[in-house]
Amino acid sequence: MENLIRIRDLTVRFYTYEGVVHAIDDLELDIRQGETLGIVGETGSGKTMTALAILRLIPYPGRIESGSITFFDRDLHREIELLKLSEDKMRSIRGNKISMVFQEPGAALNPVYTIGDQISEVCLLHRRSELGNRAKQRVESLLRDGGGPAAGIKRPFWHWQRRLYNKIAQESNPLEPRFLSHLPLFRRLLWRMGDEAKLLTVDMLKDVEIPDAARVAIHYPHELSGGMKQRAVIAMALACSPELLIADEPTTSLDVTIQAQMLELFRRIKVEKGASVLFVTHNLGVASEVCDRVAVMYAGSICEVASVEELFLHPSHPYTKALLDAVPMPGKELQTIPGALADPLNPPPGCRFHPRCPSAMPVCQQEKAELKEIGKDHMVACHLF
């Protein structure tokens, strides 16, 4: 299976007044086409930073120091180095080729705009050409019928009107609609594009199983429940049929019933849309339900990568074993991982996990282990192998 995303030697630092925070260190990770890859680990292990680095959304004062993130564009049939793109080109990929569902849906939605307006904005930004063609076809149909909102557009002038309207629909001319929108004639056509975006928005809300989608589209975020807001954010992320959907702990703040519905929704998205999913979570149970492969992170580095079955049946890294032992189970005494997560301001030398590892050796304090394959699709970064 070909890789959709290939990350190599990714390093992210935060320059704060207290010192340099080592958020991600020489990370290597592959996301394959059509798969759901889960990233698990304790809070502060770098899961969210990895997701944000793919979209180049590392917040200030963070910075991507080195590494490469290669994205295979299926439309262009070639690889693109995301870290070398200009900001304008990167903006055309965000929300279009690669979308993200953020951890807190309430913070991801603008409280002063309706749900429909916020999803329509994504469609108008990345799918303007498609919406323009749909609107043009609808106006031409109304002209042929001789009525409706297009009745005021005179037939003799429609030929040159259509030529100029084609320019409105071109994504390569972002300033022309702004100029032409001051003309009453073209304002009507632009309104038609907005109407098409609203119709598409309702369809997207229906796709994520929101009941009475047309009514929800005119509501503001504060009028929706947590589960409904999460579905609206997912609909916004899916508006342009992205090739990669990044979900940053999308079920954390939801109750068990809604959480199960969300997991089923992500499974259906992968099958119907054919998209790859990067699923960030700290819940191993959730990862086992929705993921094909799982990558275990600790202190900004990948410890182990394997299929779900292999990881849960044959965990190899001491940290992976400790995480699985810490999962509460009936009739079993609750286990904890001794010590605390490595300090990102002053990380320990060598393997980041060695101060807490029961199998630590002298070499673990001096050298960082590289990821090595110990079985089919099973990679481990540990000196025990």
Side-chain angles (χ1 to χ4, degrees):
M1 188 181 297
E2 295 184 357
N3 291 328
L4 182 67
I5 294 284
R6 186 174 67 250
I7 303 174
R8 292 293 180 269
D9 303 322
L10 180 66
T11 300
V12 177
R13 299 281 187 268
F14 281 79
Y15 294 86
T16 68
Y17 291 112
E18 296 183 8
V20 179
V21 175
H22 297 253
I24 299 177
D25 277 317
D26 298 326
L27 184 136
E28 294 190 7
L29 189 65
D30 294 329
I31 305 174
R32 299 169 181 171
Q33 296 184 16
E35 78 163 355
T36 299
L37 174 68
I39 300 183
V40 300
E42 294 175 89
T43 299
S45 61
K47 305 185 300 296
T48 298
M49 285 300 111
T50 301
L52 293 176
I54 294 175
L55 288 169
R56 283 174 47 185
L57 290 177
I58 299 294
Y60 179 84
R63 192 163 66 211
I64 299 177
E65 293 286 298
S66 61
S68 67
I69 303 176
T70 305
F71 169 68
F72 181 78
D73 193 318
R74 288 186 288 189
D75 294 333
L76 300 178
H77 301 287
R78 64 182 179 89
E79 293 184 341
I80 300 173
E81 175 53 55
L82 297 181
L83 299 185
K84 294 182 179 179
L85 291 180
S86 65
E87 184 58 31
D88 287 340
K89 291 183 179 179
M90 191 65 208
R91 193 179 296 116
S92 68
I93 290 179
R94 295 192 199 107
N96 186 20
K97 303 286 187 180
I98 305 174
S99 294
M100 185 167 181
V101 178
F102 293 91
Q103 184 171 352
E104 178 51 53
L109 294 169
N110 193 320
V112 300
Y113 291 99
T114 65
I115 297 296
D117 286 341
Q118 296 184 60
I119 301 177
S120 296
E121 182 182 12
V122 178
C123 299
L124 288 169
L125 178 63
H126 294 295
R127 302 177 65 173
R128 204 176 84 205
S129 178
E130 176 189 342
L131 292 174
N133 291 330
R134 290 174 58 173
K136 182 179 66 175
Q137 292 171 5
R138 190 178 294 270
V139 171
E140 287 180 332
S141 175
L142 291 171
L143 280 170
R144 286 194 299 269
D145 296 339
I153 303 178
K154 302 301 182 182
R155 292 174 185 271
F157 301 102
W158 176 241
H159 178 69
W160 65 266
Q161 293 167 9
R162 179 167 50 190
R163 291 178 59 186
L164 286 178
Y165 184 52
N166 287 335
K167 289 183 174 291
I168 297 179
Q170 292 176 7
E171 295 178 330
S172 59
N173 295 291
L175 296 178
E176 289 184 6
R178 202 175 301 172
F179 167 73
L180 293 174
S181 63
H182 295 287
L183 303 177
L185 173 66
F186 293 99
R187 190 180 302 135
R188 179 180 299 172
L189 297 176
L190 290 172
W191 286 344
R192 176 62 65 182
M193 286 179 64
D195 291 341
E196 293 295 332
K198 291 177 182 178
L199 292 174
L200 190 60
T201 294
V202 173
D203 291 338
M204 294 306 304
L205 291 175
K206 290 179 180 178
D207 284 346
V208 294
E209 300 175 358
I210 287 184
D212 200 357
R215 180 181 60 84
V216 172
I218 62 175
H219 281 178
Y220 290 89
H222 71 273
E223 299 178 288
L224 304 182
S225 65
M228 294 286 274
K229 283 190 284 191
Q230 190 65 277
R231 291 176 188 269
V233 171
I234 295 173
M236 190 184 304
L238 295 174
C240 297
S241 300
E243 297 177 31
L244 174 64
L245 176 65
I246 301 174
D248 184 11
E249 303 197 26
T251 61
T252 300
S253 59
L254 305 177
D255 60 67
V256 177
T257 303
I258 303 300
Q259 185 180 102
Q261 295 176 3
M262 289 292 107
L263 295 181
E264 181 59 33
L265 177 60
F266 277 102
R267 279 193 289 265
R268 185 170 63 81
I269 287 170
K270 189 185 74 168
V271 173
E272 295 182 359
K273 304 290 184 180
S276 299
V277 180
L278 179 63
F279 199 94
V280 177
T281 181
H282 64 272
N283 191 323
L284 290 172
V286 169
S288 67
E289 287 287 329
V290 74
C291 298
D292 300 313
R293 289 193 306 142
V294 177
V296 182
M297 282 193 73
Y298 181 81
S301 299
I302 296 293
C303 298
E304 186 169 359
V305 184
S307 64
V308 170
E309 296 81 1
E310 181 70 14
L311 190 82
F312 280 82
L313 293 177
H314 305 104
S316 299
H317 196 282
Y319 179 59
T320 307
K321 295 178 181 178
L323 279 181
L324 292 173
D325 289 339
V327 176
M329 298 189 66
K332 177 185 174 183
E333 184 179 354
L334 182 64
Q335 301 291 321
T336 60
I337 305 175
L341 190 69
D343 184 3
L345 285 169
N346 187 25
C351 176
R352 298 285 189 261
F353 187 61
H354 84 259
R356 308 171 70 184
C357 181
S359 305
M361 302 178 292
V363 68
C364 300
Q365 304 177 26
Q366 303 169 3
E367 298 180 14
K368 180 181 178 181
E370 300 293 331
L371 273 173
K372 60 183 70 174
E373 190 170 7
I374 63 171
K376 185 179 179 180
D377 283 341
H378 194 166
M379 308 285 289
V380 178
C382 184
H383 290 294
L384 294 173
F385 300 91

